[in-house]
Amino acid sequence: MSNNRRDFLKLAGLGLVGTTLPNFAQAESHNQVFQLSQKSHIQQFNMSGYAAPKLGTVRIGIIGLGQRGPGAVDRLSKIEGVEIKALCDLIPERVDKMKAKLENTRHKPEGYSGNVYAWKKLVDRNDLDLIYITTPWDWHTPMAVYAMEAGKHAAVEVPAAKTLEECWQLVETSERTKKHCMMLENCCYDFFELMTLSMKRDGFFGEIVHTEGAYIHDLLWLNFKKDTEGGYQDMWRLKENFRNGNLYATHGLGPICQIMDINRGDQMDYLTSLSSNDFHMARTARELAETDNFFAPFAEKKYGGNMNTTIVKTKKGRSIMIQHDVTSPRPYSRLHVISGTEGFAQKYPDPKVSKGHSWMKDEEMKALEEKYTPEIVKKVGELAKQIGGHGGMDFMMDWRLIDCLRNGLPLDQDVYDAALWSAISPLSEWSVANRSNSIDVPDFTGGSWKSNKPVEITLKGGGTTKVIV
C-alpha cells in the first residue's frame, strides 16, 4: 500500500484495523471554506479529455445496495462486457437479495457485509477495474479516493463530495493516480437535456447568456420516513437537512454546465446564495414527535430553508441560477433553462423552444427533435426506456460509461466536474451564513479550462457495446 493511501486513511479515520465508526469529514468552518475557495492548483496531470487504457471487460464492485444500488446492479448486469464481481452493503440481507437476483445470469458476485469496513475488502481485490459507489453522502469521497489509490476507476453517486476539502482530495487523487472519478450525474443523459446540448453545439442558441437549473422535489414525506419503513438508513437524508444551502445542486447544474462548456472554455468565477426560512421541516419534526418518541431528537433541530437560490457569474460574464427546494408542496422541476443571443429553451412544465417572443409550434418541435436527437439516444434510447432508471437516463449513463471504458474514450464527466458541481453546496452554505455575500469559486482545473475541449456527444470511436436483455 502506498504512503499516500495510508496517510489518507489516517486522515479520514479509515484505519486498516479498529472497531470504531469512521470519522467522517466534519462540516468546515466558515473560515476554512473561505480559505479553500482561494486555493490555487498546479495541475499534476490533466484528466479532462484523458482516455484510460481500453478495458475489454469492465470488472465492477458495487458498494451500497439501499435506495440506488439495486437499480444500478440490474442496469449494469444488462451491458455487454461487464462482470459484476463483488457487492457490498452494511446490511447482509441486501447483499444476499441482490446475489439471488443475479443467480441465473453470467454474474456471480462475491458478497461483503456485516461491518463498516467490509467495503475496503471489496476495493482491495485485484480483479476489479471500477468501483461503483451508491452509499450515503458521507462515504462518497472516502470510498472514491480509496478506490483510486487502489488502482481502480471510481463512479460515485451525487454529490461526489460534501466539503471543499473533499473536492480537492478527489481532484488531486485522480490526477496523481490517473484514474477516472466520474460523478454519476444521470440528468446529463436525460432526453431533452441531450437534445439541447446538441442544439448548442450546432449554434442554435447563439452565444449562451444565462442558464437555470434546479432540484425542486417535494420529498418532505421521504425525509421523515423511518428506515424500518423503507426510508434512508439511520435517517441520514433527514440529517443532511440540518445544513443551510444548496445541498443537491448537481441534477440541475450538470446539464447546463455542459451546455456552457464550464471547465472546458469557461469557468465559474464567484457565487452568492440566499435561503428562505424553514417553513416545513422543524414543524413536521415537532408534530411527529408529539405522538412518536422516535422523532424527539429531530424536534428541536434547526433545518435549512425551504428554498435556496444560488447565483453564479462566470469568467466570460454569463450567469447561472441554481435552486433547491425539497420541502414545499409544488410540482417537480429541474428548470433546465437555456437563454442565448439567438434562442431559448426550457424543460418544465413541458419542453419548449423559442426563437423569439413566441414558443415554437408542435410541428416545429418535431422537426427539432428529428434534427437534434443525438446518436446515443438513437442507439440505446428505446432500450433505456425499457430497462428504466428515471425514464431511461440512468441506463444511458451506465451504458455510456462502460462503452467509454471499453473503447478507451474520455468520459463525459471528469473529476473536475465532480468537484466543481459538488462544491456549490459548501460555497452556498458559506454565502447563506454570511448574509449572501459573494465567494470565489475555486478553479479545480488549475487553469486548463481555457484550453480543455468541450464534451462530445457523438459516438465517435465507440458505440460498440451491446445491450443484453
Side-chain angles (χ1 to χ4, degrees), residues 253-462:
L253 184 62
I256 57 178
C257 279
Q258 289 188 335
I259 284 172
M260 297 180 78
D261 295 330
I262 300 297
N263 284 336
R264 299 168 177 84
D266 198 1
Q267 187 58 284
M268 296 185 189
D269 191 0
Y270 62 91
L271 67 74
T272 184
S273 186
L274 179 146
S275 288
S276 73
N277 287 346
D278 163 40
F279 292 87
H280 279 99
M281 299 288 279
R283 183 182 71 188
T284 300
R286 289 192 296 269
E287 289 173 351
L288 290 168
E290 288 177 1
T291 57
D292 189 342
N293 286 334
F294 175 86
F295 292 101
F298 301 100
E300 299 305 321
K301 293 291 185 181
K302 187 175 181 180
Y303 295 84
N306 279 48
M307 172 62 79
N308 174 273
T309 300
T310 298
I311 304 294
V312 180
K313 188 76 173 287
T314 76
K315 297 286 189 180
K316 289 191 171 181
R318 303 182 291 179
S319 58
I320 304 171
M321 182 187 80
I322 320 149
Q323 291 188 315
H324 176 270
D325 185 342
V326 294
T327 53
S328 300
R330 52 184 292 182
Y332 180 89
S333 176
R334 295 196 304 273
L335 295 182
H336 193 66
V337 170
I338 304 102
S339 180
T341 56
E342 297 178 19
F344 180 89
Q346 72 174 40
K347 181 171 182 178
Y348 295 90
D350 299 300
K352 295 179 180 179
V353 176
S354 171
K355 274 289 191 179
H357 196 266
S358 302
W359 298 116
M360 288 187 170
K361 297 179 180 179
D362 289 346
E363 56 269 23
E364 294 175 297
M365 286 295 294
K366 289 180 181 177
L368 285 179
E369 289 175 9
E370 291 177 7
K371 181 176 181 180
Y372 290 114
T373 295
E375 290 179 83
I376 185 174
V377 175
K378 292 177 181 177
K379 185 170 184 66
V380 297
E382 289 305 314
L383 281 170
K385 290 177 183 178
Q386 293 174 31
I387 294 169
H390 293 92
M393 61 183 179
D394 293 7
F395 181 78
M396 280 203 290
M397 172 185 70
D398 290 334
W399 179 87
R400 174 67 171 167
L401 168 61
I402 299 303
D403 191 63
C404 287
L405 291 174
R406 295 184 72 226
N407 287 286
L409 299 174
L411 304 188
D412 300 329
Q413 300 172 46
D414 56 37
V415 70
Y416 308 115
D417 300 320
L420 179 63
W421 303 352
S422 298
I424 296 300
S425 293
L427 292 169
S428 67
E429 290 178 71
W430 183 94
S431 182
V432 168
N434 286 275
R435 292 182 60 85
S436 301
N437 283 326
S438 64
I439 186 168
D440 290 343
V441 179
D443 175 15
F444 295 102
T445 74
S448 69
W449 63 267
K450 298 173 184 177
S451 57
N452 290 340
K453 295 180 180 179
V455 172
E456 281 202 27
I457 56 171
T458 70
L459 298 181
K460 183 174 64 178

